[in-house]
Amino acid sequence: MEPILVYGHPLGSSMGLVAALEWLGQPYRATRVDLFTDIHTDAYRRLNGRGEAPLLITDKGEPLSETIAIGLWLEARDRERRISFAPGSREADLMHQYMAFLNTGFTQAFAGYWVALESEDADPRDRDAWRRLGRRLVNDRHAKLEAMIGDTPYLLGDKPTLADAVFVGVARWADFHQAIDPAAYPKVTALKARLHEDPAVRFAVALEDGEGPPGSGALKGHVPLYELLAPVSA
Ligand SMILES: N[C@@H](CCC(=O)N[C@@H](CS)C(=O)NCC(=O)O)C(=O)O
């Protein structure tokens, strides 16, 4: 069977993995879940105990969660090196370095913003404090990323890789929360704009928005969530 990527909306970090699957070009299917409702059920938690997206159901039917684990699963199957580099190469090491940086401190920096957004009943002073902390951390991580980026069109050369996939799913949160001045981070801003012009990213965003755009042809269809949950909820 084809692997199935469970991706979340709205604004899921998993959007980047949909783009990565499109760049990879191997057959896959997908399941679209609501991040506020679908993933908080007991049945979903039997697939991912943390109740989060993304989730991959591998070609053997086994659930695999965590962005980095899913990215490495894709990397191991990328024999044509479309979205990764030769194992053991310097480029592969640097790609893993970017993926880890982006999936940890860079992603976590937004936590204060999300908590403030989701805690409507909290004291407004607390919410302001969480947003201020978020702004400080997001800008700190953007400054660090700006310093890491070289002169190539994508993070590691002239084509997007898994590092760009992890970046593009999360980087748009800075705009959503109005956390940064884009002009302060010209390399980050240019990379984000370039990636959002990419057909695979446009496809992934359209899927997230509930549209059915034509893609590369690698996506072989959607699987409703209840079909994934049926074997474990029976
Ligand atoms: N460590 C996980 C984090 C995934 C994660 O935080 N996903 C968010 C959506 S972008 C989520 O599922 N949030 C729902 C929630 O935690 O309630 C990974 O890297 O895959």
Side-chain angles (χ1 to χ4, degrees):
M1 63 178 267
E2 296 105 4
I4 304 167
L5 181 75
V6 179
Y7 66 93
H9 75 92
L11 286 178
S13 56
S14 39
M15 182 275 280
L17 288 176
V18 175
L21 280 159
E22 289 289 301
W23 291 326
L24 185 62
Q26 297 175 14
Y28 71 100
R29 290 185 290 160
T31 297
R32 182 173 179 269
V33 295
D34 185 318
L35 291 171
F36 293 109
T37 55
D38 291 334
I39 60 177
H40 297 298
T41 62
D42 289 344
Y44 187 83
R45 278 181 195 277
R46 268 175 248 144
L47 290 175
N48 177 356
R50 268 77 61 210
E52 294 173 338
L55 172 73
L56 186 77
I57 309 297
T58 71
D59 54 347
K60 296 189 174 67
E62 296 161 340
L64 181 67
S65 61
E66 299 297 326
T67 301
I68 297 296
I70 296 169
L72 296 185
W73 192 92
L74 297 178
E75 180 181 3
R77 283 147 188 86
D78 180 22
R79 288 176 202 89
E80 295 175 9
R81 299 294 150 214
R82 291 189 181 196
I83 55 170
S84 62
F85 301 95
S89 64
R90 177 66 178 156
E91 289 91 345
D93 289 346
L94 293 175
M95 186 181 82
H96 299 154
Q97 180 174 281
Y98 267 125
M99 290 167 72
F101 170 81
L102 291 163
N103 184 246
T104 56
F106 190 87
T107 298
Q108 267 309 308
F110 293 92
Y113 279 110
W114 292 122
V115 171
L117 188 79
E118 289 162 13
S119 308
E120 283 174 12
D121 298 336
D123 186 322
R125 287 167 301 184
D126 287 341
R127 297 178 77 195
D128 279 349
W130 296 332
R131 278 190 284 259
R132 275 200 306 279
L133 177 63
R135 173 173 282 270
R136 203 174 95 197
L137 295 177
V138 168
N139 277 275
D140 172 73
R141 290 291 145 172
H142 272 69
K144 287 176 173 150
L145 180 59
E146 184 74 15
M148 289 166 77
I149 296 177
D151 295 322
T152 51
Y154 297 96
L155 285 173
L156 289 151
D158 56 10
K159 67 179 172 78
T161 67
L162 284 162
D164 299 280
V166 178
F167 168 79
V168 76
V170 173
R172 59 204 175 135
W173 296 350
D175 307 308
F176 175 74
H177 292 296
Q178 300 183 321
I180 60 161
D181 170 8
Y185 309 107
K187 289 183 176 179
V188 174
T189 299
L191 175 64
K192 196 168 14 178
R194 185 170 298 117
L195 283 166
H196 277 274
E197 285 300 309
D198 182 281
V201 173
R202 293 171 90 109
F203 175 77
V205 170
L207 280 193
E208 195 180 48
D209 290 344
E211 298 164 17
S216 66
L219 178 61
K220 300 302 176 194
H222 273 75
V223 179
L225 180 59
Y226 68 81
E227 281 186 24
L228 291 190
L229 300 180
V232 287
S233 58

